[in-house]
Amino acid sequence: MNYTKEQMTAIEHNKGPFMVLASPGSGKTAVITEHTRYLIEKLGVSPRDILVITFTKAAAVTMKERFDSMINDADVHVTFGTFHAVFFSILRSVYHYTVGNIIKDEQKLRIVRELCEKEGMELTTDIDYLNEILSEISYVKGEMMDLSAYYSSTCSKEVFERIYNGYEAARKSLRLIDFDDMQKDCYDLLNNRPDVLKAYQNRYKYILIDEFQDINRLQYNIVKMLALPENNLFIVGDDDQSIYHFRGAKPEIMLNFTNDYPDAKKVLLGVNYRSSSEIVEASKQLISNNKVRYPKEIESNMGGVEPIHLLKKENEMEQVLDIIERVRDYNSKGISYQDMAVIYRANIESNIMTERLMQYNIPFKTRDSINSVYEHWAVRSVIAYIRAALGDMSRANFLLIMNKPNRYLSRNLLEGANVDFDAMKDKLSDKPWMVERVDELIEDLEFIRESTPFAGINYIRRKIGYDSYILEHCLDKGIDSDDMLGVLDIVQDKSKDYKTYNEWFAYIREYKESLIKSRKDNEDKDAVLLTTMHKSKGLEFEVVFIVNAIEDHTPHKKAMKESDIEEERRMFYVAMTRAKRHLYIYSLDEFFSKKATASRFVNELTFDRRQLAPGVLVQHKKFGKGVVTFADSDKVSIHFERDDESRTFKIDYAIGNGYLTVRTDA
């Protein structure tokens, strides 16, 4: 393989700290494996002295397989592993831990679910929500934070502290450790046992770290200790792809690396071997709006293919149908389904897409757990109202609606397996105002029974006040209500397609069954990938569709601080740079029946024509620096410094092909 000058500089590095800024598609894995081989074959380093750290087990396996194929020597034993695997091996050597000491994911979920139930939180069936809480627990541990100084984004501060302490107490009572404990315990061990630290410093004299932008504070502190005294620390990463703040990842660690190691050498891998020049230029234009980053000059090795497609659709359904048409067209032209991906901001967005893909017999698979939206706790109560209206007065079903909103009905009023309203009113005969509430509920159920699914759901949400209950419940528990209401919007919007409840319920059953079957059948097949922006990292596709690029969604409306906006922009950048040749970005006029506007990130990929006024400095992809001499609604004239000539371009050409960038140093 022919390497660039920059790649060779990294590969042939000898001693001391070294930072490789690896832009998307720049061949970083090849550089890491070649550098490892160079250390062994050219510099005479013992393979046992080399430690290569990755963030996922899959990445470690891939890296090792690639290295082994280059060496073809069974006696070469370089250590490839994740942070957790490396830290656990250190703990095991001293404390004699076994795999049985590691808490399982299902145990963590069970503990947090029980703690949430104890707090009266009705999100215990929402796996995504439980995982968010676990992520926050992990963040507090990874940052070595004082719990009292942390403010949760998933629930109130007081509730989170109780859940955190309850989780820790439950874990310790079972004599188990989680991945964050591995880090903390390893740090404490190395800090308190100089003999152990010295042994591992002698063991790993060369440390290589992939995806360094994702490192957290605790991991970095451990690595710094292990690398002493020679500091042979070879780090590879891209601060523009740091998107795991919720896990404790801190891009500023990479940004400050040369401050921590003033003698560190640095090289930029600025050639993108993955994407077309149009995709590279557009993604550069987007990420240049971030202020806290290393500036980078990146170019495509592929050359031009076609402009990126910025499409505006009326609503989600129009967006989905357009994607399906294009997927089928690309597939008919020889592009496999597995070379196409649909990327979204949040997991909940996949429901409409999965439904239509199944309808059109297009195979798909996911990297995320996709649960039917009808299994969400907020939706189950709506369905329970409808089932009660249709005659299901079982105790279990009635408990889902009895006090939503709060009618102050006691469970003591319920006798037997089924609810009897007459018996209930007899027990409340001395409280006429309570009897009125029961009568009102009876009238509500009668109205729902005679309604269409859409009208019935609307009545439950607006007239009965279920939305108000959701808002009050979320406010009380410190939960973002918008996600809950968004789920209800999805369900209500889809219900328009059905005239009767029987038709609607039949669809729900069929959808659940089809979703399970599709997930199972397509797991190892040629299939379109549906994934979140977070899970798309590290992947690449011929065709990428980024959906729902609207304001308050991406960036998320909870992203209030500038640092939050920059992370959201990095997520969008990662999504864009997954594409090789064909990139589609969709914005909407309407999102779940509410007016929507294009994301600021979409606007950053286009020009406001008012920017192209005489005197404005610009950068042209081919002709270099220039100054605008004339601009109207159709054309722009630019005088270029390089050859002292003026050229005139059609505005649409200059914008649509990503050839022109307004210079920020104007």
Side-chain angles (χ1 to χ4, degrees):
M1 180 176 177
N2 295 322
Y3 292 104
T4 65
K5 175 184 175 183
E6 291 75 18
Q7 288 174 322
M8 288 306 301
T9 299
I11 290 168
E12 295 178 352
H13 173 66
N14 187 353
K15 288 184 172 291
F18 193 94
M19 177 167 65
V20 180
L21 283 173
S23 59
S26 60
K28 67 181 179 66
T29 302
V31 166
I32 293 172
T33 51
E34 278 290 353
H35 176 58
T36 305
R37 181 164 73 170
Y38 185 84
L39 289 174
I40 297 167
E41 295 183 350
K42 301 297 184 182
L43 300 182
V45 175
S46 169
R48 295 180 181 275
D49 290 348
I50 302 172
L51 170 63
V52 182
I53 303 178
T54 65
F55 274 82
T56 66
K57 185 176 180 180
V61 169
T62 299
M63 196 89 70
K64 185 178 188 308
E65 288 176 348
R66 187 175 230 175
F67 175 75
D68 289 345
S69 68
M70 294 163 53
I71 295 293
N72 290 321
D73 186 345
D75 293 327
V76 174
H77 296 289
V78 173
T79 301
F80 291 87
T82 64
F83 275 109
H84 296 133
V86 172
F87 296 162
F88 186 67
S89 70
I90 294 174
L91 293 174
R92 185 170 52 191
S93 69
V94 177
Y95 298 138
H96 308 295
Y97 283 152
T98 68
V99 175
N101 293 112
I102 304 174
I103 191 169
K104 296 179 174 62
D105 287 341
E106 55 266 29
Q107 290 175 297
K108 293 195 290 186
L109 287 169
R110 177 180 55 78
I111 292 170
V112 173
R113 179 183 288 113
E114 290 174 355
L115 291 166
C116 286
E117 288 174 349
K118 187 177 178 181
E119 293 292 336
M121 301 167 74
E122 298 200 42
L123 297 133
T124 53
T125 59
D126 190 337
I127 299 299
D128 289 338
Y129 179 76
L130 297 177
N131 280 323
E132 283 183 34
I133 291 179
L134 284 168
S135 290
E136 291 198 297
I137 292 173
S138 175
Y139 180 82
V140 171
K141 288 185 176 185
E143 286 301 296
M144 307 172 73
M145 292 180 66
D146 183 341
L147 179 60
S148 63
Y150 182 73
Y151 288 83
S152 170
S153 62
T154 56
C155 53
S156 69
K157 185 176 187 298
E158 295 74 18
V159 168
F160 179 76
E161 287 182 5
R162 288 196 293 270
I163 292 174
Y164 181 98
N165 290 325
Y167 169 80
E168 286 293 271
R171 176 187 61 75
K172 290 174 183 176
S173 71
L174 296 170
R175 297 182 179 180
L176 297 173
I177 61 172
D178 59 23
F179 288 142
D180 302 296
D181 299 315
M182 289 180 198
Q183 297 176 157
K184 183 179 181 301
D185 292 352
C186 188
Y187 175 80
D188 291 340
L189 173 64
L190 298 177
N191 221 16
N192 298 323
R193 290 281 302 275
D195 58 324
V196 176
L197 175 59
K198 184 65 176 175
Y200 279 96
Q201 287 172 337
N202 291 335
R203 172 78 170 82
Y204 298 125
K205 295 178 180 177
Y206 291 82
I207 301 176
L208 291 68
I209 303 177
D210 188 22
E211 303 286 5
F212 188 79
Q213 76 279 348
D214 294 332
I215 201 167
N216 67 29
R217 183 65 60 189
L218 191 49
Q219 291 164 346
Y220 186 46
N221 287 341
I222 295 171
V223 165
K224 284 196 296 183
M225 284 195 289
L226 289 174
L228 291 170
E230 296 184 23
N231 293 326
N232 294 324
L233 198 52
F234 186 90
I235 68 164
V236 182
D238 181 7
D239 56 300
D240 288 333
Q241 296 186 70
S242 179
I243 61 173
Y244 295 117
H245 175 72
F246 66 95
R247 293 183 188 167
K250 290 189 171 295
E252 55 266 33
I253 292 176
M254 188 169 192
L255 290 167
N256 292 325
F257 185 76
T258 52
N259 294 333
D260 293 338
Y261 298 96
D263 58 336
K265 297 176 182 177
K266 181 175 73 172
V267 70
L268 168 67
L269 304 185
V271 178
N272 184 315
Y273 296 93
R274 174 193 300 155
S275 304
S276 70
S277 59
E278 292 90 350
I279 293 169
V280 169
E281 291 300 319
S283 58
K284 275 170 53 180
Q285 184 171 322
L286 172 81
I287 202 64
S288 66
N289 289 280
N290 274 8
K291 297 181 177 64
V292 183
R293 62 184 293 265
Y294 284 115
K296 305 175 186 72
E297 285 300 321
I298 306 169
E299 60 182 29
S300 168
N301 185 60
M302 183 187 300
V305 175
E306 67 176 25
I308 64 170
H309 303 272
L310 303 177
L311 306 177
K312 177 173 277 194
K313 298 298 176 182
E314 184 178 343
N315 52 40
E316 308 97 295
M317 190 56 64
E318 189 179 316
Q319 170 184 252
V320 169
L321 293 176
D322 187 78
I323 290 172
I324 287 173
E325 182 180 345
R326 295 179 190 278
V327 166
R328 296 170 83 175
D329 182 55
Y330 278 120
N331 188 248
S332 69
K333 293 176 180 176
I335 295 180
S336 63
Y337 288 128
Q338 66 187 9
D339 270 332
M340 293 183 261
V342 179
I343 303 179
Y344 35 80
R345 171 66 176 79
N347 206 15
I348 194 66
E349 299 167 66
S350 62
N351 281 275
I352 293 176
M353 181 63 66
T354 57
E355 178 191 1
R356 290 300 173 182
L357 289 174
M358 287 187 291
Q359 180 182 340
Y360 284 86
N361 294 315
I362 296 175
F364 67 89
K365 52 190 171 185
T366 71
R367 297 196 83 195
D368 311 87
S369 59
I370 293 185
N371 297 313
S372 167
V373 69
Y374 301 98
E375 295 171 359
H376 193 283
W377 74 269
V379 178
R380 288 196 302 129
S381 291
V382 170
I383 292 176
Y385 262 110
I386 294 170
R387 292 197 183 282
L390 296 178
D392 181 359
M393 294 304 295
S394 64
R395 177 188 176 92
N397 191 68
F398 188 74
L399 284 172
L400 290 172
I401 68 172
M402 185 170 70
N403 285 309
K404 300 175 185 176
N406 200 346
R407 300 179 176 90
Y408 300 97
L409 296 176
S410 170
R411 292 189 179 211
N412 295 331
L413 297 170
L414 309 182
E415 292 182 352
N418 292 293
V419 175
D420 184 330
F421 280 134
D422 289 333
M424 187 183 294
K425 287 195 288 184
D426 286 342
K427 288 186 176 183
L428 294 169
S429 58
D430 60 334
K431 299 176 181 176
W433 63 91
M434 294 297 292
V435 173
E436 285 181 16
R437 288 175 183 168
V438 175
D439 285 334
E440 186 177 343
L441 175 56
I442 294 170
E443 291 176 6
D444 288 337
L445 294 177
E446 289 173 352
F447 183 90
I448 294 168
R449 183 172 62 250
E450 301 302 321
S451 301
T452 64
F454 180 84
I457 295 171
N458 194 61
Y459 185 87
I460 294 165
R461 297 183 66 185
R462 320 292 186 214
K463 175 63 172 64
I464 293 180
Y466 187 64
D467 275 14
S468 297
Y469 163 78
I470 293 289
L471 289 167
E472 184 178 345
H473 177 80
C474 290
L475 182 63
D476 181 53
K477 302 301 180 184
I479 303 165
D480 185 358
S481 62
D482 285 350
D483 291 340
M484 307 300 144
L485 297 177
V487 170
L488 294 175
D489 288 341
I490 292 172
V491 171
Q492 184 175 353
D493 192 62
K494 177 59 186 173
S495 71
K496 290 177 182 177
D497 298 341
Y498 304 93
K499 294 180 180 179
T500 69
Y501 292 119
N502 285 338
E503 291 177 1
W504 189 54
F505 284 140
Y507 153 73
I508 292 174
R509 285 193 300 273
E510 183 181 344
Y511 174 67
K512 287 181 181 178
E513 291 167 1
S514 298
L515 187 59
I516 293 170
K517 186 175 185 300
S518 293
R519 283 200 299 248
K520 184 178 180 181
D521 292 350
N522 298 332
E523 190 170 341
D524 298 316
K525 287 185 178 178
D526 177 26
V528 176
L529 183 71
L530 310 182
T531 182
T532 61
M533 292 178 178
H534 281 113
K535 290 289 181 71
S536 73
K537 192 163 173 286
L539 305 178
E540 57 183 47
F541 308 90
E542 287 293 318
V543 188
V544 166
F545 304 95
I546 300 176
V547 299
N548 304 329
I550 57 174
E551 198 67 8
D552 289 337
H553 184 67
T554 177
H556 197 280
K557 63 182 180 153
K558 289 196 289 187
M560 305 295 290
K561 298 184 293 186
E562 187 60 33
S563 60
D564 296 333
I565 295 294
E566 294 209 350
E567 171 131 341
E568 293 278 321
R569 188 178 284 110
R570 290 194 294 269
M571 287 170 57
F572 206 88
Y573 175 77
V574 165
M576 289 179 66
T577 53
R578 299 312 93 196
K580 295 180 181 179
R581 289 176 170 81
H582 311 287
L583 175 60
Y584 294 81
I585 301 175
Y586 291 84
S587 58
L588 305 175
D589 290 325
E590 189 178 88
F591 190 57
F592 295 126
S593 303
K594 296 176 183 175
K595 186 176 180 182
T597 58
S599 166
R600 70 189 71 182
F601 301 151
V602 173
N603 294 330
E604 287 170 2
L605 295 172
T606 62
F607 290 118
D608 180 345
R609 298 184 182 196
R610 290 171 298 182
Q611 289 180 286
L612 300 178
V616 170
L617 297 177
V618 295
Q619 179 80 31
H620 191 276
K621 177 181 173 183
K622 181 177 179 181
F623 301 114
K625 298 177 183 178
V627 60
V628 175
T629 56
F630 169 80
D632 62 15
S633 61
D634 183 52
K635 294 181 180 179
V636 55
S637 296
I638 304 170
H639 185 81
F640 291 98
E641 298 176 4
R642 193 172 77 184
D643 49 12
D644 200 34
E645 289 187 16
S646 294
R647 289 177 174 82
T648 300
F649 304 90
K650 290 184 67 175
I651 292 283
D652 288 340
Y653 172 79
I655 294 173
N657 289 274
Y659 272 60
L660 201 61
T661 304
V662 175
R663 287 171 57 82
T664 56
D665 58 350

